[in-house]
Amino acid sequence: MKKVVVYPGTFDPLTNGHLEIIKRASKIFDEVIVLVAKRDEKNTLFSLEERVDIVKRCVSDITNVKVDKLEKLLVDYLREHKINLVLRGLRSYKDFEYEREMFEANTIMLKGIETIFIIAAPHTAFISSSLIKEIAFNGGDVSQFVPKEVQKRLSEKLRR
Ligand code: COA
């Protein structure tokens, strides 16, 4: 049976840290679905459509990676698509408590799902989307931390 995993997140914006996790996962699973969460409560810089478009462009060369939107609870998406594997990246021990809470909540809401964690490579472990936005908005160079497409889209936002 095909092993399909979903990698959910806000991706506001996608970073090299996320991309590293996606690339490694694409070698383990038959199919990786990057699930871009709406998250209105996060007051995102990029709209859901923009975030989906950015991720699609950045993963277009990886054949077994797909991108979809998450506009409902993760468990409802999993139930609807009959998927039971969730992937998350772990950057440091600081991510662990939050991930444990999400894992427990999601597992209680939908029995039978499994969350798989990939430990982020050390050179990406400090990266977060907020940090990228902070550097960009203060005139810093984010080229080492994000794909070229993200760099371009951030510059466009800054010009507006
Ligand atoms: N590289 C770079 N950054 C990483 C990273 C990595 N490997 N791993 C985590 N991060 C950062 C993100 O950049 C983000 O940074 P920010 O807070 O500065 O924006 C932060 O960690 C949060 O991670 P993210 O992957 O965006 O997840 P999230 O906290 O927004 O979680 C869900 C999204 C949907 C997976 C989670 O909220 C969940 O499971 N919720 C259950 C309830 C539900 O289903 N909600 C649906 C909402 S539509």
Side-chain angles (χ1 to χ4, degrees):
M1 212 173 73
K2 212 165 126 180
K3 280 231 175 313
V4 182
V5 70
V6 298
Y7 180 41
T10 313
F11 306 110
D12 185 44
L14 180 89
T15 69
N16 285 346
H18 296 125
L19 208 48
E20 196 251 339
I21 302 285
I22 295 167
K23 284 181 180 162
R24 283 165 64 195
S26 72
K27 293 181 187 143
I28 302 170
F29 300 95
D30 297 317
E31 188 175 304
V32 179
I33 302 174
V34 183
L35 211 42
V36 184
K38 192 161 175 237
R39 304 295 311 270
D40 285 337
E41 70 279 16
K42 255 196 157 177
N43 201 11
T44 57
L45 172 66
F46 293 97
S47 69
L48 178 60
E49 278 65 32
E50 287 172 322
R51 285 179 280 135
V52 168
D53 182 55
I54 292 171
V55 178
K56 277 189 177 163
R57 287 169 191 267
C58 296
V59 300
S60 61
D61 58 333
I62 320 173
T63 50
N64 62 337
V65 176
K66 289 188 179 154
V67 185
D68 202 357
K69 291 180 201 174
L70 179 66
E71 296 183 271
K72 54 183 81 159
L73 281 178
L74 176 62
V75 287
D76 289 336
Y77 182 96
L78 296 170
R79 195 179 287 117
E80 209 174 281
H81 291 81
K82 298 189 176 23
I83 298 171
N84 65 354
L85 291 178
V86 177
L87 169 71
R88 295 285 289 168
L90 276 184
R91 291 166 299 174
S92 76
Y93 72 93
K94 288 185 218 151
D95 282 340
F96 181 75
E97 274 312 314
Y98 174 74
E99 293 301 335
R100 172 186 277 285
E101 281 170 22
M102 285 302 144
F103 165 79
E104 282 171 5
N106 286 332
T107 312
I108 288 169
M109 289 189 282
L110 181 60
K111 302 255 174 308
I113 58 171
E114 203 55 81
T115 306
I116 287 144
F117 296 97
I118 289 186
I119 295 184
H123 69 282
T124 66
F126 65 93
I127 303 176
S128 71
S129 300
S130 304
L131 179 65
I132 297 303
K133 287 179 276 191
E134 192 181 329
I135 296 172
F137 281 125
N138 288 290
D141 176 9
V142 293
S143 59
Q144 292 182 68
F145 313 128
V146 294
K148 278 208 165 52
E149 178 65 26
V150 174
Q151 218 187 318
K152 188 183 105 196
R153 304 288 276 259
L154 277 168
S155 316
E156 283 167 12
K157 281 273 176 208
L158 282 171
R159 277 202 296 274
R160 272 183 224 151

